[in-house]
Amino acid sequence: MEKIQIGTWAEMPSAYVTNVMAKAGFDFSIMDMEHGIIDFGLAQNMVFAAHAEGKQAYIRVPAIEESWVTRTLDTGCDGIIFPQVKGVEDAKEAVRLCCFSPEGERGFNPFVPCGGYHKVSSDYFEKENKRIKIGLILEGREVFTQLDELLNIPQISLLYVGQYDLSIALGIPGDVSNQKVLDLMSLTAKKAAGAGKSAGCMVHSVNEAKEVIKQGFSFVVYKVDCGILYDCVHEFTEGVRND
């Protein structure tokens, strides 16, 4: 199994919050540019905030499009998480946009954070292709029939099960503990582990995290940053007022 990584979704547009999460022990944050109000300027500072603590910064883009991917990778983030992946063709397009030639057709500008603001070394392109992690969010019913094909693409590092959207696709909106969802999660974790790649999902407790790790998940996302803050405050205020 891949090394266990624990992180959270970053919905709060704040490098300060990202830095707090990193200092508190998370291995990574996923800056969410599909939902919420994080723009490229904020995302750049959030990447800096994670890297300042030696932690990883991933970014979820809203679409598999060159304009999004190029600017996202220019931040120096550690990888991109792609939503709404319908199958192998989408995965191949993600690889094409994320990787430099000969593996892909990624655009190049050294005068940005990922290029060090200066002329790069001759091995930069090969190293960058290895450094960038490409993650796919599995949200629809049909994509799970292509797990083997997705895992056979060398550049794909992570298959992340989007439990909430998947529950909608399966006709059980919001019921993420339904056996239909759990079965597809288990299948994904098993196949990913067998291919030496990571499987990811969201959890809401220590016990839930331990359970999915037993199944083979190695990319464990604990809630969302704003949800963590809300839950902590709500638990305290309700406990004081209702005691």
Side-chain angles (χ1 to χ4, degrees):
M1 181 193 294
E2 292 282 295
K3 178 184 176 181
I4 305 300
Q5 290 187 301
I6 303 170
T8 191
W9 284 100
E11 297 291 343
M12 299 176 71
S14 169
Y16 202 104
V17 172
T18 301
N19 192 255
V20 170
M21 294 294 180
K23 281 183 178 291
F26 279 139
D27 299 310
F28 65 84
S29 286
I30 309 171
M31 292 56 172
D32 190 359
M33 296 184 73
E34 181 186 25
H35 298 287
I37 58 172
I38 297 174
D39 60 24
F40 278 108
L42 283 167
Q44 179 68 83
N45 287 333
M46 292 166 78
V47 170
F48 288 155
H51 286 175
E53 302 303 322
K55 303 302 176 66
Q56 294 185 313
Y58 300 99
I59 295 178
R60 172 163 70 175
V61 294
I64 309 174
E65 295 178 357
E66 185 172 4
S67 59
W68 280 103
V69 173
T70 300
R71 295 184 69 188
T72 296
L73 293 176
D74 282 349
T75 67
C77 66
D78 298 284
I80 295 183
I81 310 295
F82 289 96
Q84 305 172 31
V85 175
K86 295 179 173 58
V88 173
E89 292 309 309
D90 282 345
K92 289 181 177 179
E93 177 65 2
V95 171
R96 184 184 74 82
L97 295 175
C98 286
C99 295
F100 288 118
S101 178
E103 296 180 37
E105 299 177 6
R106 174 182 168 183
F108 172 57
N109 178 356
F111 306 108
V112 291
C114 73
Y117 315 108
H118 199 264
K119 182 179 180 180
V120 299
S121 61
S122 60
D123 61 351
Y124 167 80
F125 303 97
E126 181 180 358
K127 287 182 176 179
E128 191 71 356
N129 281 351
K130 292 179 179 178
R131 185 184 71 84
I132 293 298
K133 302 294 187 295
I134 301 174
L136 312 176
I137 301 182
L138 312 182
E139 304 169 281
R141 185 196 302 263
E142 292 303 317
V143 72
F144 288 91
T145 66
Q146 301 180 51
L147 291 178
D148 290 331
E149 292 90 336
L150 293 174
L151 290 167
N152 279 334
I153 301 174
Q155 298 86 354
I156 300 301
S157 305
L158 166 71
L159 297 184
Y160 181 94
V161 180
Q163 296 114 294
Y164 289 97
D165 284 323
L166 177 58
S167 71
I168 294 174
L170 293 174
I172 45 173
D175 187 6
V176 296
S177 61
N178 189 285
Q179 195 60 47
K180 293 180 181 179
V181 175
L182 297 179
D183 285 346
L184 289 176
M185 289 177 64
S186 178
L187 177 66
T188 303
K190 180 179 179 180
K191 285 185 174 291
K197 300 191 178 184
S198 297
C201 68
M202 178 182 282
V203 300
H204 298 84
S205 69
V206 172
N207 288 338
E208 191 177 348
K210 290 181 177 179
E211 285 300 315
V212 299
I213 289 172
K214 287 181 183 177
Q215 291 178 32
F217 285 93
S218 56
F219 190 85
V220 181
V221 181
Y222 177 60
K223 296 185 178 180
V224 178
D225 56 1
C226 55
I228 294 171
L229 176 61
Y230 179 95
D231 290 344
C232 183
V233 174
H234 185 71
E235 180 182 359
F236 176 78
T237 56
E238 289 299 300
V240 172
R241 290 168 180 155
N242 297 328
D243 192 6

